[in-house]
């Protein structure tokens, strides 16, 4: 994204955070495509079978973002990091509803992906695995916020190592090192849960 457009998004986010509702209206067309890309990355990772369309996920995420009050938006990268978290919450809610509807309550399942490129869709037969991953990720965030954020941005946000480094203001080498440690912890944690 051009630095000029990135600067404009940051200015609009700060104005919106300060209560300028006109800034919100200007912001929508500037961030919509990036939010759509973020949602599309998740849907590609989730594979076939997911019924929630990219547009519906973007719209739901945007509605939740609009409801967040008094956020001190630092910049566009901060906005998209928060957006990834919001999308994760939406998808986990769908998975919870799907498992509750299907079995009368969530079941424990082991999810240890080989390559972390494909995660279960929230409305698939493997929704329990997505819930197990979310629970493990929540525990990781409680222990180590930075590693948890790296997993959230990479797995649920679909961000590359470089994009994750930009969001967290760290080097790509640090992201790769922390990513490896976080994945190993998750594999052990998920294996133990099963």
């Amino acid at each position: 994204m051009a630095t000029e457009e990135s600067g404009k998004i940051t200015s609009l986010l700060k104005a919106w955070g300060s209560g300028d509702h006109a800034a919100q209206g200007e912001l929508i067309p500037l961030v919509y495509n990036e939010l759509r890309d973020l949602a599309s990355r998740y849907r590609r990772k989730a594979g076939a079978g997911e019924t929630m369309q990219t547009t519906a996920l973007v719209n739901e995420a945007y509605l939740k973002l609009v409801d967040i009050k008094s956020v001190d938006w630092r910049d566009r990268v901060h906005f998209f990091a928060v957006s990834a978290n919001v999308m994760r919450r939406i998808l986990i809610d769908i998975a919870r509803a799907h498992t509750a509807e299907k079995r009368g309550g969530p079941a424990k399942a082991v999810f240890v992906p080989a390559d972390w490129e494909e995660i279960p869709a929230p409305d698939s037969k493997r929704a329990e695995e997505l819930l197990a991953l979310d629970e493990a990720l929540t525990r990781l965030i409680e222990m180590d916020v930075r590693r948890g954020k790296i997993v959230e941005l990479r797995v649920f946000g679909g961000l590359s190592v470089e994009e994750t480094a930009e969001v967290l203001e760290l080097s790509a080498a640090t992201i790769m090192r922390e990513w490896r440690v976080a994945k190993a912890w998750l594999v052990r944690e998920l294996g133990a849960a099963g």
Side-chain angles (χ1 to χ4, degrees):
M1 167 173 282
T3 305
E4 183 180 318
E5 187 173 334
S6 180
K8 183 173 184 178
I9 289 172
T10 298
S11 296
L12 288 170
L13 283 166
K14 288 182 183 284
W16 176 30
S18 298
D20 181 351
H21 297 290
Q24 180 185 346
E26 281 185 66
L27 184 64
I28 295 169
L30 293 175
V31 299
Y32 185 82
N33 285 336
E34 285 189 74
L35 283 174
R36 189 169 171 74
D37 288 345
L38 190 64
S40 185
R41 285 180 200 167
Y42 175 79
R43 291 195 69 243
R44 276 195 304 275
K45 283 182 167 219
E50 184 184 354
T51 57
M52 181 172 235
Q53 297 297 315
T54 299
T55 303
L57 180 55
V58 170
N59 291 341
E60 183 73 20
Y62 187 77
L63 289 173
K64 290 192 181 301
L65 287 166
V66 169
D67 278 348
I68 298 174
K69 303 294 182 217
S70 65
V71 174
D72 183 21
W73 297 109
R74 293 188 312 255
D75 54 25
R76 66 173 279 284
V77 175
H78 179 229
F79 175 78
F80 289 107
V82 171
S83 298
N85 180 270
V86 167
M87 286 184 192
R88 171 184 166 209
R89 298 277 43 104
I90 292 167
L91 295 165
I92 293 304
D93 288 346
I94 293 169
R96 280 192 183 114
H98 183 73
T99 58
E101 175 183 297
K102 189 174 175 188
R103 292 196 176 86
K108 292 289 180 196
V110 178
F111 171 67
V112 183
D115 62 5
W116 297 84
E117 290 301 314
E118 182 180 319
I119 57 178
D123 60 351
S124 72
K125 293 178 181 178
R126 296 176 56 213
E128 304 87 19
E129 296 173 23
L130 183 60
L131 293 175
L133 174 61
D134 180 64
E135 289 172 12
L137 179 53
T138 299
R139 288 190 300 275
L140 177 60
I141 290 170
E142 289 170 359
M143 288 177 17
D144 189 322
V145 174
R146 183 165 82 181
R147 286 181 181 151
K149 282 294 176 192
I150 289 169
V151 172
E152 183 175 70
L153 292 169
R154 301 268 351 260
V155 174
F156 288 91
L159 273 60
S160 68
V161 169
E162 294 75 20
E163 291 166 327
T164 303
E166 182 184 352
V167 168
L168 297 178
E169 299 176 346
L170 297 167
S171 71
T174 298
I175 296 299
M176 280 305 296
R177 185 174 52 254
E178 297 289 310
W179 172 238
R180 282 192 296 271
V181 171
K183 285 192 304 185
W185 185 88
L186 285 168
V187 166
R188 188 182 74 235
E189 187 75 6
L190 290 166

